[in-house]
């Protein structure tokens, strides 16, 4: 099983460095990457700052998860206990491989720290120590 990225390791902020273990899709378009990541996971979380799935990519992620009968959840910044909500979703659906999706940082400033907050809250046993870095938004 692989985590997927578009051909050419394309990302909004330039090519994704090789040290991120990603497999390139045959296409440089983002929808192909999105669908492959949904297919190779047991479920998807879409994390955003807004209560609506405003971005085209997030809406596509929802549609593809439903098309492939994969469980999905949307968690947004206005929610109480977002980490516990995600943890419950993962347990309820017995998810081993979780696809994490959401809008780009350029369209939703503050999304990266919120994603870390949600993931660290859901999986504190896997949380990195503050300042250790190593994350890159995808």
């Amino acid at each position: 099983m692989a985590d997927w990225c578009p051909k050419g390791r394309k990302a909004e902020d330039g090519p994704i460095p090789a040290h991120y273990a990603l497999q390139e899709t045959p296409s440089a378009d983002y929808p192909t990457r999105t669908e492959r990541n949904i297919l190779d996971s047991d479920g998807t979380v879409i994390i955003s700052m807004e209560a609506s799935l405003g971005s085209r990519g997030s809406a596509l992620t929802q549609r593809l998860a439903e098309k492939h009968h994969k469980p999905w959840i949307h968690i947004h910044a206005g929610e109480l206990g977002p980490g516990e909500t995600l943890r419950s979703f993962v347990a309820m659906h017995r998810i081993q491989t979780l696809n994490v999706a959401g809008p780009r940082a350029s369209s939703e400033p503050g999304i990266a720290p919120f994603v870390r907050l949600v993931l660290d809250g859901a999986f504190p046993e896997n949380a990195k120590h503050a300042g250790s870095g190593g994350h890159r938004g995808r």
Side-chain angles (χ1 to χ4, degrees), residues 2-132:
D3 293 321
W4 296 92
C5 67
K7 183 177 182 176
R9 303 183 69 85
K10 179 176 125 181
E12 180 183 39
D13 57 351
I16 301 166
H19 68 268
Y20 291 99
L22 300 172
Q23 184 171 331
E24 294 181 43
T25 61
S27 168
D29 68 63
Y30 290 108
T32 301
R33 177 269 332 253
T34 298
E35 190 161 26
R36 293 271 180 113
N37 282 328
I38 288 168
L39 288 169
D40 283 355
S41 67
D42 302 314
T44 295
V45 59
I46 302 169
I47 302 175
S48 70
M49 300 302 290
E50 304 296 326
S52 67
L53 289 177
S55 78
R56 289 182 298 148
S58 294
L60 174 66
T61 300
Q62 174 194 356
R63 287 193 308 274
L64 290 171
E66 290 174 353
K67 172 185 171 185
H68 294 293
H69 308 286
K70 298 278 190 157
W72 68 277
I73 188 171
H74 175 221
I75 294 178
H76 59 88
E79 236 175 275
L80 295 177
E84 185 54 43
T85 299
L86 178 57
R87 189 176 190 87
S88 295
F89 169 78
V90 167
M92 178 177 22
H93 295 284
R94 299 174 188 234
I95 293 172
Q96 297 296 307
T97 302
L98 178 66
N99 178 35
V100 179
R104 299 170 180 199
S106 63
S107 64
E108 285 198 17
I111 190 65
F114 181 62
V115 168
R116 286 186 190 102
L117 175 84
V118 173
L119 295 176
D120 289 351
F123 312 110
E125 63 278 8
N126 295 326
K128 291 186 174 195
H129 296 289
S132 65

